[in-house]
């Protein structure tokens, strides 16, 4: 489905990002994975790419450092010859009740989760607009739609991604560039597996499908938005949440 396409995926070393990289490689894309430092996943993804007759590149940048991030992304753009697909997936949490939250924890989450999306999208979308084609996929969250106690910084960053996505879709649509967001619900990742059993049970009881989602569920949604199957889809938020947001 992605044969001959080139993709940049941030937060590529684990969890949802890693699975999106695997899915894109499986479907024939050449993928650049951006993570903060050399990852334990690199060798595995290099082998997987070779098995699927394509190529994986791992590049590194602290996405909260705008100067370094800009340099790394512009270099990747130049070396790749341009990307057909961008997945802004990098994200962190620094949870805490709002009245106890430090400004440092607020700023760090907004910088990594939202500002980096703006910076990278600005660089990549300019090239996509020039070529009049491309798909940008931004990773939001169900908490960006409904909020979550103890996560005002994370929720605000993910809600900001939705506003950014819808606005950028209106700016880029007439130039052939699609911009969509994915809002995952409770997905089995390292982050959610750290949740205590009692809290996990409460979450699962609130999901109509009565199970946590998998990283593959999210990667399949990303594949749809990246592929030509979604050529008439832009400015949308795809909820992959087992019905939590219904």
């Amino acid at each position: 489905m992605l044969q001959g396409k080139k993709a940049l995926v941030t937060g590529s070393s684990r969890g949802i990002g890693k699975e999106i990289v695997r899915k894109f490689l499986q479907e024939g894309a050449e993928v650049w994975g951006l993570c903060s430092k050399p990852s334990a996943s690199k060798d595995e993804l290099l082998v997987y790419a070779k098995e699927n007759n394509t190529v994986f590149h791992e590049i590194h940048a602290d996405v909260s450092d705008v100067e370094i991030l800009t340099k790394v992304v512009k270099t990747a753009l130049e070396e790749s010859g341009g990307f057909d697909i961008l997945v802004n997936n990098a994200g962190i949490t620094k949870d805490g009740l709002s009245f106890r939250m430090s400004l440092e924890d607020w700023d760090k989450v907004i910088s990594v989760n939202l500002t980096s999306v703006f910076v990278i999208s600005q660089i990549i979308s300019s090239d996509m607009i020039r070529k009049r084609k491309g798909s940008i996929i931004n990773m939001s969250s169900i908490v960006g739609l409904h909020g979550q106690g103890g996560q005002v910084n994370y929720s605000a960053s993910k809600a900001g991604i939705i506003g950014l996505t819808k606005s950028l879709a209106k700016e880029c649509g007439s130039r052939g560039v699609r911009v969509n967001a994915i809002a995952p619900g409770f997905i089995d990742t390292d982050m959610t597996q750290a949740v205590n059993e009692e809290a996990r049970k409460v979450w699962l009881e609130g999901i109509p499908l009565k199970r946590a989602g998998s990283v593959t569920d999210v990667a399949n949604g990303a594949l749809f938005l990246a592929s030509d199957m979604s050529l008439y889809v832009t400015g949308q938020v795809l909820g992959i949440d087992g019905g939590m947001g219904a």
Side-chain angles (χ1 to χ4, degrees):
M1 291 173 65
L2 303 180
Q3 195 70 42
K5 295 185 182 292
K6 296 177 181 179
L8 172 62
V9 180
T10 72
S12 61
S13 63
R14 61 192 180 96
I16 290 171
K18 179 181 175 181
E19 187 63 20
I20 289 173
V21 170
R22 284 176 55 86
K23 181 66 67 173
F24 285 8
L25 291 171
Q26 181 183 344
E27 294 296 329
E30 183 175 356
V31 181
W32 279 252
L34 189 152
C35 48
S36 60
K37 58 187 178 181
S39 77
S41 301
K42 180 180 178 181
D43 289 343
E44 174 191 342
L45 292 172
L46 286 170
V47 171
Y48 193 75
K50 188 174 182 179
E51 290 173 350
N52 286 275
N53 298 310
T54 186
V55 183
F56 172 71
H57 313 261
E58 185 175 274
I59 57 177
H60 311 109
D62 175 355
V63 298
S64 68
D65 187 320
V66 171
E67 185 176 348
I68 292 175
L69 178 63
T70 298
K71 182 178 180 180
V72 169
V73 172
K74 284 185 174 180
T75 298
L77 181 64
E78 182 179 348
E79 292 179 351
S80 68
F83 294 108
D84 304 285
I85 304 155
L86 167 63
V87 181
N88 285 303
N89 169 73
I92 61 169
T93 58
K94 287 185 176 292
D95 296 347
L97 295 174
S98 60
F99 60 87
R100 293 176 183 162
M101 184 174 291
S102 68
L103 185 58
E104 181 182 3
D105 284 352
W106 169 271
D107 286 343
K108 186 66 173 180
V109 169
I110 297 297
S111 176
V112 171
N113 295 8
L114 181 57
T115 304
S116 71
V117 175
F118 167 74
V119 171
I120 298 170
S121 296
Q122 187 177 56
I123 296 167
I124 302 302
S125 67
S126 295
D127 183 68
M128 288 179 171
I129 286 169
R130 184 175 61 82
K131 294 177 178 176
R132 304 188 73 82
K133 64 175 183 177
S135 174
I136 297 174
I137 303 162
N138 298 322
M139 199 61 63
S140 182
S141 167
I142 191 170
V143 304
L145 291 164
H146 301 287
Q148 176 67 24
Q151 288 192 313
V152 293
N153 49 3
Y154 186 75
S155 298
S157 71
K158 295 303 185 178
I161 283 175
I162 291 172
L164 184 155
T165 296
K166 289 181 174 291
S167 297
L168 190 58
K170 290 182 177 180
E171 290 184 7
C172 296
S174 64
R175 279 89 168 177
V177 179
R178 298 178 292 111
V179 189
N180 293 286
I182 293 175
F186 191 72
I187 308 297
D188 263 328
T189 63
D190 292 342
M191 191 183 300
T192 58
Q193 285 168 9
V195 174
N196 67 62
E197 194 58 37
E198 184 176 344
R200 185 181 179 87
K201 183 178 179 181
V202 171
W203 274 81
L204 292 175
E205 285 176 352
I207 301 173
L209 290 184
K210 300 303 178 187
R211 68 171 179 88
S214 70
V215 292
T216 301
D217 292 324
V218 182
N220 284 337
L223 174 61
F224 167 70
L225 293 174
S227 75
D228 289 349
M229 292 181 69
S230 58
L231 286 177
Y232 201 56
V233 179
T234 194
Q236 302 304 305
V237 181
L238 176 60
I240 302 178
D241 58 13
M244 286 180 75

